Amino acid sequence: MPQGQPLTVPDDGLSTRQRRNRPLLMVHTGDGKGKSTAAFGLSIRAWNQGWNIGVFQFVKSAKWRIGEQTVLERLGRLHDETGEGGPVEWHKMGAGWSWAKKQGDAEDHARASAEGWQEIKRRLAAETHDLYVLDEFTYPIAWGWVDLDDVVATLRDRPGRQHVVITGRRAASELIDVADLVTEMAKVKHPMDVGQKGQRGIEW
Amino acid sequence: MPQGQPLTVPDDGLSTRQRRNRPLLMVHTGDGKGKSTAAFGLSIRAWNQGWNIGVFQFVKSAKWRIGEQTVLERLGRLHDETGEGGPVEWHKMGAGWSWAKKQGDAEDHARASAEGWQEIKRRLAAETHDLYVLDEFTYPIAWGWVDLDDVVATLRDRPGRQHVVITGRRAASELIDVADLVTEMAKVKHPMDVGQKGQRGIEW
């Protein structure tokens, strides 16, 4: 266990252990690479703790499958077969949310985003998962497809011990205010700057 | 495959495919959370491509095992058993490098760091791995335990198609100059600021 010492100890009536185990709302934002990659890295850490993981990809390009999905779903099957780690569900908007019977109009991103958020609200109320990865969720918020005030209130008042990580550029300041941990991934250099496109194994 | 378009196309005589598949030197630096997590997230992506992965943790605290090690080594065994994904080796300085017969003086971090780098140089020359994760490698460089000029020249001139990702705060400008992809993970907010210490599943 790491020995980091906080600079301040708040007068909140909680023990160190209680405070340590409070659920976190995490935001990975900024224009640099690593926002989603770090969220999926966090997921394998969580899997190893036996946590129940729910991934929700709010992106059209989720029609194609990234390596993390294959690996996390493989780890989920390993859990089902051997009891190692935790269960994993991976849902993506691009190909139609996997819980929805009717795939709906795949082009209607606004409605699909809103449906995704409603399902996440139901799961938060039911305390379905230990870790929620809301990948690229800042965009439907920024575009007004999902109501920011509703997101902030729902996440702030979520019951139990549910961790949430949200990724995407331009996270709203209201979201940052309510978050416990915010990292800005800032681009210093990217191969695209010198004409090199994304490649297998690095970008997906 | 993502459709990102580079802003410039260099006059380097390479085709888009050749340029796309050039090996990358990546640096995750900055004071924020997510540097190592994103590197290990990249490793699961690489595993899924069948790449040979070598992780080298340059930290004393590597005596304790983080979740990513358990999961990546589990994925490595899965590869050995079923042929899925790629092979994985995980070496850490804190408990003595796993390739070294003699564990040496565990307290002599300077010598252990130098030994780690010499082994990495041998492996780069032999083209042992497809992806090298040099975790927290900026620190032995900053402390002069590993020679920066040697690191820069070795990485710049490495043969074949070997990707390298280096994590740690305060990456040297010479390292950033020679890197292809640099992300600065900047801390916007961290639970430690309000007295909440790191917790299982989130920090390790």
Side-chain angles (χ1 to χ4, degrees), chain A residues 19-20 22 45 49 68 74 84 161 176-177 179 182 184 186 188-189 196 198-200 202 204, chain B residues 19-20 22 45 49 68 74 84 161 176-177 179 182 184 186 188-189 196 198-199 202 204:
Chain A
R19 196 177 302 115
R20 162 169 259 166
R22 277 186 305 196
R45 197 171 280 179
Q49 294 294 341
E68 291 92 325
R74 183 67 184 89
E84 292 169 83
R161 186 157 184 269
I176 288 173
D177 287 343
V182 181
E184 183 190 353
V188 179
K189 259 176 130 171
Q196 183 172 359
Q199 63 181 297
R200 188 181 302 275
I202 300 293
W204 68 89
Chain B
R19 196 178 302 113
R20 162 168 258 167
R22 279 187 304 196
R45 197 171 279 180
Q49 293 295 340
E68 292 92 323
R74 183 68 184 88
E84 292 169 83
R161 184 155 185 271
I176 289 174
D177 287 344
V182 180
E184 183 190 353
V188 178
K189 260 176 130 171
Q196 184 171 359
Q199 64 181 294
I202 301 293
W204 67 90

Side-chain angles (χ1 to χ4, degrees), chain B residues 110-153:
Chain B
R111 200 179 62 192
S113 297
E115 278 173 12
W117 170 240
Q118 289 305 317
E119 175 69 13
I120 290 161
K121 281 182 74 171
R122 286 188 290 269
R123 290 176 184 227
L124 285 166
E127 301 184 39
T128 305
H129 302 291
D130 300 304
L131 173 67
Y132 297 72
V133 178
L134 312 188
D135 190 39
E136 314 270 31
F137 190 46
T138 57
Y139 304 107
I141 295 173
W143 297 327
W145 296 346
V146 171
D147 183 63
L148 174 60
D149 292 342
D150 185 33
V151 170
V152 167

Side-chain angles (χ1 to χ4, degrees), chain B residues 96-116:
Chain B
W97 294 112
S98 21
W99 66 77
K101 290 216 170 44
K102 185 164 69 71
Q103 292 302 313
D105 179 0
E107 294 308 305
D108 189 349
H109 304 143
R111 200 179 62 192
S113 297
E115 278 173 12

